Amino acid sequence: MRRVYLDNNATTPVLPDVLEAMRPYFTERFGNASSIHHHGQETRAAIENARESVAQLLGSSASEIIFTSGGTEGDNLAIAGLVAAGDHVITSSIEHHAVLHACKHLQDAGCEVTVLPVDGRCLIDPADVRRALRPNTKLISVMMANNETGVLQPLEEIGRIAAEAGICFHTDAVQAAGKVPIDVKQIGCQALTISGHKIHAPQGTGALYLKKGTKLRPLFYGGRHERSHRPGTENVPGIVGLGKAAQIAIAAFAREDDTKMAAMRDRLQHEILKVIDEAGVNGDGTPRVPNTSNIHFDHIEGESLVIALDLKGLAVSTGAACSSGAIEPSHVLVAMGLRPDQARASIRFSLGKQTTDEDIDFALSLVPETVARLRELSPAYKKQVITT
Ligand code: PLP
């Protein structure tokens, strides 16, 4: 059976070149990077090369990169590491739970947290950020690209507000990295999180950019790894894989692969909306990463559509992978003002570097007929057809 994977915001396959780069570090190059002998020096050099590549992807210097176990750790390290009891944090209602739950934990530990709303296009208003500032505001944490809609936030404006107020700015760039160019200096942030498995590196890898001179409390205590910001023997194969994936992403921008991906995504979206009525793109008309399209197909249950498409070989998602299976509609789509039934009727298509035009054709051959079949079975749709 043919299988097409359009759920790359949940995770991406490790690219063959990434796997090849990692392979020796599972076998003959096994040293502990803290050892002073040949074996240790070999892996130390590999880690420092990877650090250079990740720094290049983000426009930082290598010494500002801390390797982590992924996006969740990077977000938690930045948030818990930059504030203390009594401080005030500003974040948004559409953040990933790695940020929202970290902020909730801070609140329980004596911090004040303001959660900003978004408008119907999934955008935060920078004026709301400015209005939320207090004398004890220590950190603003606003994501770069939303994982469900792909919408890009006005980070440079928020960065300027943070700089004027002299407070730290962290951004979760997990869904932006490798999809849009990132320059930490242009954003004006002190901390930025990325995750390896969203950019075709292995799961359980990631990095936190931390601007030189920014004081950070670690989550773990141990040795001096990662300049004591993240103690623990390094995951060398994973770090090498992340470095290789960063190099591949940089080369892809030079070839303008992102423009080609946006064209594929736009064709998928356009052809679907041409033949299916009462459907629309969530976050339409705003800058989005080139790989994501979140579409509401009114009168059906998104979960039913995901299952029906999966049975035919197409993998898509109802939103964040970690909240799939939960009965609650997506907190992002609800924050955008979608009705709960519309939020539940929404599907996320997300492309990856392995996605081809044939994959899009395959999706187009399945989605309209499956939506039509589910609507025929939907009492809500029938009732509406009869009454109009
Ligand atoms: N932040 C965003 C925006 C995400 O989409 C995800 C994962 O879906 C994470 C953080 C968590 O990253 P990880 O799975 O590497 O822990």
Side-chain angles (χ1 to χ4, degrees):
M1 177 179 171
R2 178 163 184 199
R3 286 205 177 270
V4 167
Y5 182 78
L6 292 184
D7 195 15
N8 290 274
N9 284 10
T11 198
T12 55
V14 170
L15 291 173
D17 285 351
V18 171
L19 181 62
E20 272 323 298
M22 293 171 65
R23 207 184 290 278
Y25 296 91
F26 288 110
T27 51
E28 68 265 32
R29 298 188 196 165
F30 57 83
N32 182 323
S34 300
S35 302
I36 56 171
H37 47 60
H38 163 80
H39 302 278
Q41 305 251 318
E42 197 170 51
T43 46
R44 169 58 52 205
I47 289 175
E48 297 316 318
N49 275 339
R51 206 184 301 281
E52 290 284 350
S53 301
V54 173
Q56 209 185 328
L57 181 69
L58 305 180
S60 73
S61 64
S63 61
E64 295 172 311
I65 300 299
I66 303 165
F67 288 115
T68 65
S69 67
T72 301
E73 185 187 332
D75 286 343
N76 275 269
L77 180 55
I79 291 166
L82 292 171
V83 298
D87 290 338
H88 173 233
V89 179
I90 299 171
T91 189
S92 85
S93 52
I94 55 156
E95 299 296 313
H96 190 271
H97 286 133
V99 167
L100 285 176
H101 290 174
C103 287
K104 172 80 182 69
H105 176 75
L106 283 183
Q107 214 167 12
D108 296 344
C111 291
E112 296 167 31
V113 178
T114 299
V115 181
L116 298 177
V118 290
D119 65 15
R121 298 164 301 167
C122 197
L123 282 176
I124 293 154
D125 183 351
D128 283 344
V129 177
R130 196 183 288 282
R131 272 192 290 272
L133 292 172
R134 297 179 192 172
N136 61 337
T137 306
K138 191 70 191 292
L139 176 71
I140 298 171
S141 182
V142 169
M143 71 197 322
M144 189 163 181
N146 182 261
N147 42 305
E148 299 195 32
T149 60
V151 168
L152 288 157
Q153 297 301 327
L155 286 199
E156 285 179 37
E157 277 181 78
I158 298 173
R160 272 196 296 276
I161 293 168
E164 278 167 35
I167 55 183
C168 281
F169 178 27
H170 163 253
T171 185
D172 174 339
V174 165
Q175 294 291 350
K179 297 172 187 167
V180 289
I182 295 179
D183 182 342
V184 289
K185 293 187 190 73
Q186 217 170 320
I187 295 170
C189 58
Q190 277 68 42
L192 178 146
T193 305
I194 67 164
S195 169
H197 74 109
K198 312 291 184 175
I199 63 163
H200 299 275
Q203 295 167 350
T205 64
L208 178 70
Y209 155 79
L210 185 71
K211 189 176 177 182
K212 191 166 183 253
T214 309
K215 293 237 172 316
L216 182 88
R217 214 173 320 104
L219 289 176
F220 311 145
Y221 293 89
R224 297 235 173 106
H225 315 84
E226 300 298 297
R227 300 189 321 286
S228 299
H229 291 313
R230 206 284 185 174
T233 301
E234 299 88 343
N235 168 9
V236 181
I239 289 171
V240 168
L242 178 57
K244 185 68 186 176
Q247 284 173 9
I248 292 172
I250 294 164
F253 285 129
R255 287 192 307 265
E256 298 189 356
D257 284 4
D258 47 330
T259 313
K260 290 171 210 148
M261 187 180 273
M264 272 201 270
R265 185 272 316 269
D266 290 347
R267 181 165 77 90
L268 174 71
Q269 191 177 285
H270 180 76
E271 295 295 320
I272 286 178
L273 295 180
K274 207 162 78 181
V275 292
I276 304 179
D277 60 357
E278 296 187 81
V281 175
N282 297 318
D284 203 8
T286 41
R288 271 185 292 153
V289 286
N291 81 317
T292 308
S293 190
N294 192 309
I295 302 182
H296 61 91
F297 299 99
D298 298 355
H299 314 297
I300 60 169
E301 283 292 330
E303 293 286 336
S304 312
L305 182 55
V306 169
I307 293 164
L309 291 172
D310 187 46
L311 289 172
K312 294 174 181 172
L314 179 65
V316 293
S317 146
T318 47
C322 40
S323 63
S324 268
I327 305 151
E328 290 297 302
S330 144
H331 70 283
V332 174
L333 301 181
V334 169
M336 288 168 65
L338 266 78
R339 295 192 313 266
D341 62 302
Q342 257 184 337
R344 277 200 205 88
S346 294
I347 294 294
R348 179 184 70 188
F349 301 87
S350 51
L351 285 57
K353 291 196 186 303
Q354 77 288 2
T355 306
T356 61
D357 277 318
E358 290 70 34
D359 293 342
I360 301 299
D361 291 339
F362 183 73
L364 287 171
S365 74
L366 294 181
V367 175
E369 66 163 41
T370 312
V371 170
R373 191 169 54 79
L374 288 176
R375 279 183 175 171
E376 267 168 33
L377 299 171
S378 155
Y381 188 64
K382 275 195 200 143
K383 188 165 160 245
Q384 184 248 356
V385 167
I386 292 164
T387 52
T388 53

